[in-house]
Amino acid sequence: MKVLKTLLPLLFACAVSAHAALPVPPAPSVAARAWLLVDVNSGRALAENAPDSRIEPASLTKLMTAYLSFSAIKEGRLKLDQTLPVSEKAWKAEGSRMFLDPRNPAKVDDLLKGMIVQSGNDACITLAEGIAGTEDGFAAMMNQQAKHLGMTGSHFVNATGLPDPQHYTTARDLARLASAVIRDFPEFYKYYSLKEFTYGGITQPNRNRLLWTDPAVDGVKTGHTESAGYCLIASAKRDDRRLLSVVLGTASDNARASESQKLLNYGFQFYETVKLYRANQPVTKLRIYKGTSSELAAGFARDFYVTVPRGSAQRLKAQIISKQPMLAPISKGQAVATLRLTLDGQPVGDYALAALTEVSVSGLIRRAWDSLMLML
């Protein structure tokens, strides 16, 4: 079986900057234990330090609690106007609270805002019990979802982020989780831009300071315990670009905001992200043998973006790599080739191309003819 390599003209699905490329300086120094800056659309990491080291997530845990809550609403297992009982465990929750009253059931919509804006541990436990019956059962769901999202360095034991030796994650996993919240639940992500929320006559502000200082920032979550330090996941959208910074273990509330802003500014200033192909757009067509069709279109299931130094996108080169001969049957979504991108001769990345349609096995006559063609 031979590997076929073909050059491919890049099909830009949007305008590409014609400005001269800017030299990219080293990423700024960040006063934190670990950090990561990623472009949400392309998934490329633009700056990092210890992104895979195990850390205590503190209230950043609530992103997973939110993800499962949003999923329950989307699947009809929970409704925004539904009320949930407040257990004694939730009422007595330590740490930050939205001050739920065990005598008064709380609306799911209020619980979401209490969890996201006020970082209420009582809200998290109430949602967890409403979805899974117990917080322990909910933690099992959290770990299942983490596995599904590819969060290989994480383990959860509660819905709040209260310290526990077996409750941990990484900066890379948190970036993956926050990106999934933004991507999968745009209708709920808007909650993360709320600057304050009032419940029971008590108004509490969102602890994400960047919501006040940078109009491009629209989320996502702060976290703090004595052992975890001050943490912040921040996301900003400027034009069509969205960046996400994860800053963990800073020394103060001010520091987590300023260090996050530093990373976001760096990413926007020195990099650009372009959409090369639309979802389900044929990137290439491959020869197929012994199938109901002799040709197979391959591409991406989602819009495909790439992040490169600002001003350099026009110098990208693409190459298609596929194993030949390719025989039916081929399933829709099956990886059938690789798109290899280079910039000025340096590798950018290899990206799997999927079959955009299904190709079934052909009849006997077609198979016999193709067998003869392969022999020749």
Side-chain angles (χ1 to χ4, degrees), residues 255-266:
R256 68 182 172 190
S258 62
E259 299 306 279
S260 298
Q261 185 73 74
K262 188 189 300 183
L263 281 174
L264 293 171
N265 288 344
Y266 170 78

Side-chain angles (χ1 to χ4, degrees), residues 29-219:
S29 176
V30 176
R33 296 174 195 166
W35 64 85
L36 181 64
L37 174 68
V38 298
D39 185 287
V40 173
N41 285 332
S42 70
R44 178 177 172 181
L46 306 180
E48 62 182 42
N49 178 68
D52 299 308
S53 62
R54 183 177 292 187
I55 58 94
E56 177 190 333
S59 285
L60 301 180
T61 298
K62 296 177 173 88
L63 280 169
M64 179 60 82
T65 304
Y67 191 98
L68 290 176
S69 299
F70 299 155
S71 295
I73 296 169
K74 202 167 188 177
E75 295 166 6
R77 294 181 286 113
L78 207 62
K79 296 181 179 179
L80 285 174
D81 59 357
Q82 178 182 346
T83 59
L84 297 178
V86 179
S87 68
E88 184 175 355
K89 178 181 180 180
W91 176 51
K92 292 183 176 179
E94 300 176 18
S96 54
R97 292 181 291 163
M98 65 179 289
F99 299 103
L100 293 171
D101 186 337
R103 297 168 297 182
N104 299 320
K107 284 177 58 176
V108 168
D109 187 62
D110 287 336
L111 290 169
L112 291 175
K113 293 172 183 173
M115 171 179 62
I116 291 169
V117 181
Q118 301 175 336
S119 202
N121 291 337
D122 49 356
C124 293
I125 295 172
T126 301
L127 285 166
E129 292 174 341
I131 293 170
T134 66
E135 189 178 11
D136 288 342
F138 189 78
M141 294 176 65
M142 296 171 79
N143 290 317
Q144 290 172 357
Q145 187 62 53
K147 183 177 180 180
H148 179 72
L149 292 174
M151 298 171 62
T152 57
S154 299
H155 186 262
F156 300 99
V157 299
N158 61 57
T160 61
L162 289 172
D164 186 287
Q166 295 305 309
H167 192 89
Y168 54 82
T169 188
T170 68
R172 197 181 307 279
D173 278 1
L174 288 171
R176 187 172 283 113
L177 173 59
S179 296
V181 169
I182 295 168
R183 178 191 68 236
D184 297 342
F185 304 105
E187 68 273 34
F188 295 119
Y189 178 64
K190 61 185 180 182
Y191 285 21
Y192 288 94
S193 65
L194 295 175
K195 293 183 178 180
E196 63 178 30
F197 177 59
T198 301
Y199 184 81
I202 301 172
T203 300
Q204 297 185 62
N206 194 316
R207 296 172 176 85
N208 182 357
R209 290 178 175 235
L210 296 185
L211 291 174
W212 280 268
T213 60
D214 185 344
V217 172
D218 55 9

